[in-house]
Amino acid sequence: VEGPALDLLQALRRAGIRAEMAYRGNLKRRLERANRIGARAAVILGEDDLARGVAQLKDLATGTQDAVPLAEIAARLR
């Protein structure tokens, strides 16, 4: 999962979207950190999602989460 996550991170940065990747802690801690630093959204990559070519995009303000094709993530974050 780390390789595709790095590829997505670089693609988001090339698209002008500020992005960083959390390496430590469980999902709950990673989302808490994202909230602390004022992130609008979190992209959650799991092996099953990657196999389907999608990632979970979580809106941190509303708590809603959708499966979004990897190629559309940057557009959805704009």
Side-chain angles (χ1 to χ4, degrees):
V1 175
E2 193 171 313
L6 287 172
D7 293 341
L8 180 58
L9 179 68
Q10 291 172 342
L12 292 174
R13 288 177 175 169
R14 280 193 304 271
I17 297 168
R18 285 182 46 203
E20 63 179 75
M21 193 161 94
Y23 293 94
R24 296 183 183 196
N26 61 26
L27 181 60
K28 181 179 176 184
R29 284 189 180 164
R30 291 176 184 194
L31 291 175
E32 287 171 353
R33 181 177 184 280
N35 276 317
R36 255 194 333 272
I37 64 171
R40 293 183 312 134
V43 178
I44 304 165
L45 294 173
E47 289 183 23
D48 292 341
D49 288 327
L50 284 174
R52 294 184 2 239
V54 301
Q56 299 297 315
L57 184 60
K58 184 173 182 87
D59 182 318
L60 297 177
T62 66
T64 60
Q65 182 172 316
D66 298 307
V68 177
L70 293 171
E72 296 176 19
I73 297 227
R76 289 279 299 268
L77 288 172
R78 285 197 184 113

